[in-house]
Amino acid sequence: MIKAILIFNNHGKPRLSKFYEHYSEDTEQQIIRETFHLVSKRDENVCNFLEGGMLIGGSDYKLIYRHYATLYFVFCVDSSESELGILDLIQVFVETLDKCFENVCELDLIFHVDKVHNILAEMVMGGMVLETNMNEIIMQVDAQNKMEKSETFIFQSTRQDR
Amino acid sequence: MSPSIPLQEMIRAIRSARTQCEERGVIQRECAAIRAQFRQADNGARSHNLAKLLYVHMLGYPAHFGQMECVRMIASPRYSEKRVGYLGAMMLLDEKQDASLLITNSIKNDLSHSNQYVQSLALCTLACMGSAEMCRDLAPEIDRLLRASNSYIKKKAALCAVHIVRKVHELGELFAPAARSLLTEKNHGVLHGAVVLITELCERNPEALERFRKTVPDLVQIMKGLVISGYSPEHDVAGISDPFLQVRILRLLRILGRHSETASDAMNDLLAQVATNTDSTKTVGNAVLYETVLTVLDIKSESGLRVLAVNILGRFLLNNDRNIRYIAMMSLQKIVGTDHNAVQRHRGTIVDCLKDHDASVKRRALELSLALVSASNIRSMMKELLLFLSSCPPELRAQTASGIFNAAERYAPSQRWHIDTILHVLTTAGGDVRDETVPNLIQLITNTSELHCYTVHKLYRALLTDISQQPLVQVACWCIGEYGDLLLKGECQETEPAQVTEDDVLDSLETVLQSHMSAPATRGFALTATMKLSTRITDNVDRIRSIVSIYGSCIDVELQQRAVEYNALFKKYDHMRAAVLERMPVIEKNSLGQTNGESAVEAIKAVQPATVKQGEPPLPLQPANQVCDLLDLLGGSEEPLQPSSVQSGTASGLPINNSSTAGGDLLDLLGGFEPTPAAPAPAVTVYEKDGVNLTLLCEKHSDSGLTVTLTASNSNDSDISSFTLQAAVPKSVQLHMKAPSGDFLPARGAAKVTQMVVLNNPNKVNLKMRVRISYTSQGSACQDTVQIDSFPGL
């Protein structure tokens, strides 16, 4: 089971934080800070697995992370997930973001947080991997966006009347 | 116009804030505006406001006032609002909030919505934060969706079912048939969800496991299709067909094949095929191979397959990619118990990994190395481990130290090597060792009597170099106290003797006493050691006397108490000093919790407190009972942290709790001052010798408490004086001896002496008591011991 998915930049500012178990807001921020602290210490050519975070749960959990340019993608998982599989999942996630946003960069994630959440919701649900086929994910996300746009179009036109 | 421009404006505003304070200001203004807007009736921008709130929440600011808004948005008919509402519910609500109950109905309605995306929103939210009640209510809906809907919904419903099963275990039964039928689907997403669901059901419920074993042929079929089939572009990841699904199926096969011959047989061919055909140049291939290896090693596979699997792991270990090496070590850890020899072959590589600069790899290598230590390789492994200890990252030191100790204890080739190793660890990583190390080491040292000289020399030298490592200093002080005469003798077989004078030794102990680096416990050790030396050295006894009397007014209560007692030993009880301070006997190794009242009795030299304390200057004793302490010698050496019995309250027989794993039971004997009336009653004679007669009477006064009255009488023709009784009981029993009625037994039974003993036996262990009788008769001191095994009236 995936306990949390975090994306933060090289200075530790969170760009996306999704927790699949409930924590209070303070604990969530502490977890983000602690994870950033652990991950930023790592060298470039060491392995992508980290153990030893105190808050996020104890001996069964490890952090699997990947560093892309200015962003760290961190998945906190327990032993029931295959570590190499999660590494691949991060890759698929980033590639999907790339396709959806056209050459995604950090600014895209900053200004379209809700879209990123929607994409993530198509891939991981309730802490479990849902769909790993990039095309399938993109298809569903596009369909949902289209539906939303058709609604708001009507809404926007009424709003302009006020 | 894109719908989230207001969100973007806010984000821009937040980002342009230059300081934390400015950012807080911006966010507070925005939150106030959002709150105002929430209170208004339906306006068009609700979803934007909630989106803004969620962004603010991600940055860490409080957003709980949005919870009710989420509930309202979920109930709205508009998709855009529902979407944000559900997202908000997942982020802000959890099962502990009351608001979460309110969305149960909305979810229920949305699960039967005509639009599949609305259904999927509901499923997603339920899987994320559904509470047990919600799950129970909605489980039938999910089951329906599992059977009859399109594949998009089916796969989501499958994972939602997994969450439900996790929350409410009994509902697993409900989903089992649906799960079975899902295996026939073609869509990979649905298959994936089905496999996860079956895995969850099998892990929770052994009967489900039995039933699902029948699906092994189907799973094998599916896997074969994935492995052998040609290139299928939609599921391909770097040349492997849907590796995620393959990995999941392999994991399920592992669970099904464990402990089952038939299931394992059915999988053997497949596993062999996967192991040989998978391309291991890419990470995905390695992921599948890794899973295969784990499965092969876990089920009852044939030996050829096992060899293949271990070889694959060996290849992984030599891979350049650190990730692969890490993974390989993790899986070797899992099999080191069962296939020990196979893993031993790779010991060299593993030990090399200890020197890798990746902290994760180091950690894995450490655990694996500790598991691989055996009698044959102990010397070389220990060399490597000690080297590692001196350069390892601080978070691993405690683990390394305790691992080294365990290994040394089990496989030490010689005592001297063992002591050397422990000393080495103490000098390198003294601050990180556990508390029991000190008593364990002391016990080890006392047991190797031939090495006392060697040990004390080594420790003395270590003490001269560095007194900052507390465990080392404690052990060194204790040894110098015990074996100081060997140090001063100036001859030693095992190592070069040091030319030490008495002054040097006392100097070093005093340095420890005065150093600000010494912990209070350590100073206690040093003081006791100084005291012990008073019987082992000849010239500087006065110096010791002065040291001891100085500390009689020390601020530290523990030190002061000790000093005062030692002073008393010098003054009033000088005749006893030699006996009290003589060499410690060999301590028997005792595991925690074992009671061993009898064995330690000989070791106890207790000073009869009766009249001493009244004359002494005010002591830091509890006022209440004017309890007299006895020199608790065993306590002083073995558990420096435990204050001697006085401080722990009135009753002495308090079992010494934590640190004395080594060393038998410690009995604190105590006499109080309140005179108790003699209890006349029919009693059992427990001792009769030389005219001294001791009888025993028991009274139970509570469920675990019992009062024992010992009555002594003297039928000799001469009087008996200084008659004292001391009692010892098993460790878990608490003992409180009240004051004896006196200590003079006149001749021919003219009067009796009574002593009451209150026992508390909470663990209801077999009650035994050993009583030591000492008295002076006709000018000579006599002593005897009697063991009482049965207590009449119990």
Side-chain angles (χ1 to χ4, degrees):
Chain A
M1 179 173 150
I2 302 175
K3 209 166 190 187
I5 297 180
L6 305 169
I7 305 179
F8 41 77
N9 71 357
N10 288 346
H11 303 291
K13 273 207 109 57
R15 296 299 173 212
L16 178 104
S17 67
K18 180 86 182 159
F19 287 86
Y20 291 100
E21 234 182 59
H22 185 78
Y23 296 100
S24 73
E25 282 155 2
D26 293 323
T27 322
E28 284 186 5
Q29 289 301 311
Q30 241 178 318
I31 291 175
I32 295 176
R33 270 197 299 272
E34 189 194 53
T35 313
F36 169 66
H37 185 65
L38 285 172
V39 160
S40 58
K41 276 196 295 190
R42 303 278 284 174
D43 231 353
E44 272 314 307
N45 49 0
V46 299
C47 72
N48 299 83
F49 309 116
L50 249 185
E51 290 164 69
M54 287 302 136
L55 283 179
I56 194 114
S59 51
D60 200 24
Y61 285 85
K62 48 172 73 80
L63 299 168
I64 303 180
Y65 72 96
R66 274 201 122 125
H67 189 186
Y68 293 93
T70 57
L71 288 174
Y72 284 99
F73 285 72
V74 183
F75 279 47
C76 177
V77 302
D78 73 357
S79 55
S80 73
E81 298 284 338
S82 158
E83 290 87 1
L84 295 177
I86 295 290
L87 267 185
D88 280 326
L89 186 67
I90 300 182
Q91 184 70 20
V92 171
F93 183 35
V94 173
E95 279 175 18
T96 315
L97 287 177
D98 200 34
K99 267 251 178 83
C100 285
F101 284 104
E102 258 117 75
N103 286 334
V104 68
C105 64
E106 192 181 340
L107 283 178
D108 288 321
L109 295 189
I110 296 173
F111 283 102
H112 299 283
V113 178
D114 47 342
K115 281 221 186 67
V116 181
H117 268 283
N118 294 332
I119 296 174
L120 189 58
E122 287 300 319
M123 289 180 67
V124 178
M125 187 172 111
M128 294 166 279
V129 178
L130 176 62
E131 177 64 60
T132 53
N133 184 338
M134 196 167 71
N135 297 327
E136 174 78 19
I137 298 172
I138 295 178
M139 200 177 70
Q140 300 295 346
V141 169
D142 283 342
Q144 292 178 9
N145 286 341
K146 229 186 287 178
M147 234 182 63
E148 199 173 319
K149 272 205 182 71
S150 62
E151 264 185 14
T152 51
F153 181 62
I154 308 168
F155 163 66
Q156 289 293 355
S157 47
T158 52
R159 194 172 172 230
Q160 276 161 358
D161 295 340
R162 287 186 206 171
Chain B
M1 268 223 287
S2 154
S4 48
I5 274 195
L7 172 65
Q8 292 186 353
E9 276 171 12
M10 183 189 82
I11 296 178
R12 235 176 249 124
I14 295 177
R15 277 168 61 77
S16 61
R18 255 167 289 230
T19 64
Q20 182 79 337
C21 189
E22 246 184 88
E23 180 183 298
R24 261 200 299 268
V26 171
I27 290 185
Q28 267 174 359
R29 274 196 303 276
E30 285 292 334
C31 283
I34 294 173
R35 262 195 294 252
Q37 298 219 315
F38 282 170
R39 267 182 252 125
Q40 284 178 18
D42 178 27
N43 60 4
R46 264 170 40 169
S47 62
H48 306 152
N49 288 326
L50 194 53
K52 282 197 264 185
L53 189 61
L54 293 178
Y55 183 82
V56 162
H57 171 81
M58 181 180 79
L59 289 180
Y61 297 91
H64 43 270
F65 53 88
Q67 284 170 8
M68 282 314 292
E69 189 64 17
C70 290
V71 175
R72 258 178 263 136
M73 300 270 286
I74 290 175
S76 142
R78 279 217 283 270
Y79 178 70
S80 55
E81 296 189 348
K82 266 200 211 285
R83 204 181 203 186
V84 182
Y86 274 118
L87 182 61
M90 283 193 274
M91 286 177 79
L92 298 176
L93 290 177
D94 73 314
E95 48 190 51
K96 294 191 203 70
Q97 317 280 2
D98 298 325
S100 64
L101 292 173
L102 298 172
I103 62 175
T104 315
N105 215 23
S106 305
I107 295 185
K108 192 167 194 170
N109 292 335
D110 285 338
L111 281 175
S112 358
H113 204 272
S114 49
N115 186 334
Q116 64 170 357
Y117 296 113
V118 174
Q119 281 179 316
S120 85
L121 283 177
L123 283 168
C124 192
T125 309
L126 184 59
C128 269
M129 43 80 68
S131 67
E133 290 89 43
M134 284 165 76
C135 291
R136 256 189 274 262
D137 284 336
L138 299 169
E141 286 291 314
I142 306 294
D143 191 44
R144 190 179 55 82
L145 288 173
L146 270 180
R147 292 170 202 277
S149 48
N150 63 24
S151 49
Y152 178 67
I153 295 296
K154 268 195 197 159
K155 77 180 179 205
K156 296 210 173 189
L159 287 188
C160 200
V162 175
H163 175 87
I164 292 181
V165 169
R166 279 192 190 141
K167 281 280 175 192
V168 185
H169 304 321
E170 300 86 47
L171 289 173
E173 294 295 316
L174 177 62
F175 293 119
R180 187 90 171 68
S181 59
L182 282 178
L183 276 182
T184 52
E185 294 274 331
K186 291 279 172 275
N187 182 311
H188 280 213
V190 180
L191 272 178
H192 188 271
V195 171
V196 176
L197 180 56
I198 296 178
T199 313
E200 186 71 27
L201 290 173
C202 292
E203 273 175 350
R204 299 235 166 235
N205 187 347
E207 290 139 25
L209 181 62
E210 284 302 320
R211 263 182 285 142
F212 278 110
R213 281 226 175 92
K214 304 190 199 85
T215 63
V216 170
D218 300 322
L219 290 168
V220 169
Q221 209 49 36
I222 299 174
M223 266 302 279
K224 276 215 172 93
L226 288 172
V227 173
I228 303 177
S229 73
Y231 178 72
S232 101
E234 41 191 56
H235 299 121
D236 182 83
V237 180
I240 307 229
S241 194
D242 206 346
F244 296 97
L245 184 58
Q246 288 193 28
V247 164
R248 281 274 169 217
I249 294 183
L250 284 168
R251 197 176 277 254
L252 180 56
L253 286 175
R254 187 183 337 156
I255 295 177
L256 293 176
R258 233 182 248 158
H259 311 304
S260 161
E261 288 285 345
T262 42
S264 309
D265 284 335
M267 305 175 206
N268 269 326
D269 287 335
L270 170 72
L271 291 172
Q273 204 165 24
V274 175
T276 39
N277 284 355
T278 313
D279 175 17
S280 62
T281 49
K282 298 275 180 54
T283 315
V284 272
N286 284 326
V288 176
L289 269 179
Y290 172 57
E291 207 64 38
T292 316
V293 165
L294 285 181
T295 305
V296 166
L297 293 171
D298 218 6
I299 65 174
K300 294 185 190 297
S301 50
E302 51 188 31
S303 55
L305 204 48
R306 285 186 98 89
V307 168
L308 181 61
V310 178
N311 285 346
I312 295 179
L313 280 183
R315 258 194 353 247
F316 276 179
L317 209 52
L318 299 166
N319 195 315
N320 278 333
D321 185 352
R322 282 204 177 81
N323 287 338
I324 308 290
R325 261 189 280 167
Y326 178 91
I327 295 291
M329 281 199 278
M330 274 199 22
S331 37
L332 285 174
Q333 182 89 32
K334 291 191 186 129
I335 61 169
V336 78
T338 45
D339 294 83
H340 192 90
N341 294 331
V343 185
Q344 281 281 3
R345 253 180 276 139
H346 302 286
R347 190 161 50 88
T349 330
I350 294 170
V351 167
D352 281 334
C353 285
L354 278 173
K355 307 190 185 89
D356 198 307
H357 16 260
D358 182 342
S360 305
V361 170
K362 270 197 185 136
R363 190 189 285 257
R364 289 278 135 233
L366 172 67
E367 276 185 36
L368 206 44
S369 306
L370 288 174
L372 285 178
V373 173
S374 74
S376 46
N377 57 28
I378 177 78
R379 284 192 194 261
S380 48
M381 285 297 276
M382 198 48 81
K383 232 185 298 189
E384 296 286 342
L385 286 171
L386 288 173
L387 199 60
F388 177 68
L389 184 65
S390 44
S391 61
C392 78
E395 60 265 13
L396 291 178
R397 284 172 104 172
Q399 197 183 351
T400 317
S402 54
I404 291 178
F405 285 151
N406 280 340
E409 214 173 287
R410 273 185 290 160
Y411 302 114
S414 72
Q415 299 273 34
R416 175 171 162 170
W417 181 92
H418 193 172
I419 292 182
D420 277 340
T421 312
I422 299 190
L423 288 180
H424 191 141
V425 174
L426 285 181
T427 33
T428 348
D432 295 303
V433 298
R434 282 192 319 222
D435 293 334
E436 300 97 65
T437 316
V438 172
N440 281 342
L441 180 56
I442 289 179
Q443 190 240 322
L444 182 65
I445 292 176
T446 51
N447 276 339
T448 45
S449 39
E450 61 276 9
L451 288 176
H452 284 165
C453 194
Y454 168 73
T455 317
V456 73
H457 272 93
K458 265 204 110 161
L459 283 169
Y460 178 69
R461 288 205 185 93
L463 197 63
L464 286 179
T465 21
D466 175 24
I467 57 169
S468 61
Q469 304 273 32
Q470 296 303 304
L472 183 64
V473 174
Q474 286 171 3
V475 177
C477 287
W478 190 90
C479 276
I480 293 177
E482 272 296 301
Y483 309 120
D485 47 338
L486 295 175
L487 187 62
L488 293 166
K489 240 195 299 197
E491 52 181 52
C492 180
Q493 292 152 338
E494 310 266 342
T495 178
E496 199 181 292
Q499 302 308 326
V500 192
T501 65
E502 294 178 357
D503 271 324
D504 292 333
V505 175
L506 287 175
D507 277 340
S508 58
L509 284 177
E510 243 188 307
T511 323
V512 172
L513 264 176
Q514 291 164 354
S515 162
H516 62 280
M517 285 191 282
S518 302
T522 316
R523 295 167 84 193
F525 265 105
L527 190 60
T528 309
T530 314
M531 187 60 192
K532 283 195 207 169
L533 281 178
S534 70
T535 46
R536 290 161 175 68
I537 64 178
T538 43
D539 297 328
N540 287 13
V541 184
D542 287 331
R543 182 171 170 188
I544 295 183
R545 235 191 267 257
S546 63
I547 294 178
V548 164
S549 60
I550 289 175
Y551 278 90
S553 43
C554 174
I555 286 185
D556 185 330
V557 173
E558 166 71 17
L559 279 183
Q560 190 185 107
Q561 180 182 334
R562 286 183 191 218
V564 167
E565 289 166 8
Y566 295 154
N567 244 338
L569 204 52
F570 268 123
K571 297 203 176 107
K572 208 158 182 187
Y573 293 95
D574 206 30
H575 55 280
M576 282 199 178
R577 192 158 49 91
V580 168
L581 295 177
E582 70 181 23
R583 272 267 209 283
M584 293 287 290
V586 171
I587 304 168
E588 281 176 21
K589 180 114 180 150
N590 227 1
S591 51
L592 270 169
Q594 246 178 40
T595 72
N596 204 352
E598 287 77 12
S599 70
V601 169
E602 308 86 70
I604 294 192
K605 317 260 186 249
V607 175
Q608 181 23 277
T611 48
V612 140
K613 295 304 179 179
Q614 281 162 339
E616 289 296 342
L619 303 173
L621 301 174
Q622 319 69 332
N625 269 351
Q626 298 168 290
V627 172
C628 329
D629 186 31
L630 311 175
L631 279 176
D632 188 10
L633 299 178
L634 295 181
S637 56
E638 277 160 359
E639 355 127 315
L641 303 173
Q642 199 56 267
S644 42
S645 52
V646 177
Q647 284 194 357
S648 48
T650 63
S652 63
L654 280 183
I656 308 299
N657 18 32
N658 49 18
S659 37
S660 60
T661 50
D665 194 14
L666 309 177
L667 307 174
D668 296 349
L669 309 182
L670 172 69
F673 273 116
E674 307 100 31
T676 53
V684 173
T685 305
V686 292
Y687 174 83
E688 178 132 22
K689 200 172 156 188
D690 292 333
V692 179
N693 176 299
L694 189 67
T695 55
L696 175 109
L697 175 72
C698 291
E699 266 165 45
K700 234 172 135 54
H701 59 76
S702 75
D703 190 36
S704 61
L706 151 83
T707 307
V708 168
T709 310
L710 298 162
T711 315
S713 65
N714 173 16
S715 57
N716 283 329
D717 285 346
S718 53
D719 299 333
I720 286 181
S721 59
S722 310
F723 183 84
T724 48
L725 289 171
Q726 293 158 349
V729 285
K731 197 166 184 174
S732 61
V733 180
Q734 290 156 10
L735 170 89
H736 179 168
M737 282 180 88
K738 300 258 174 86
S741 61
D743 70 343
F744 184 81
L745 279 172
R748 287 176 282 268
K752 293 192 201 292
V753 165
T754 356
Q755 176 135 31
M756 277 181 54
V757 181
V758 179
L759 296 170
N760 189 16
N761 185 7
N763 295 346
K764 306 274 172 54
V765 303
N766 201 13
L767 196 57
K768 293 196 239 267
M769 192 158 80
R770 194 183 274 201
V771 178
R772 174 187 283 171
I773 304 163
S774 30
Y775 57 90
T776 310
S777 169
Q778 293 171 320
S780 58
C782 307
Q783 223 181 52
D784 207 348
T785 325
V786 62
Q787 175 146 335
I788 306 171
D789 291 318
S790 65
F791 289 80
L794 243 194

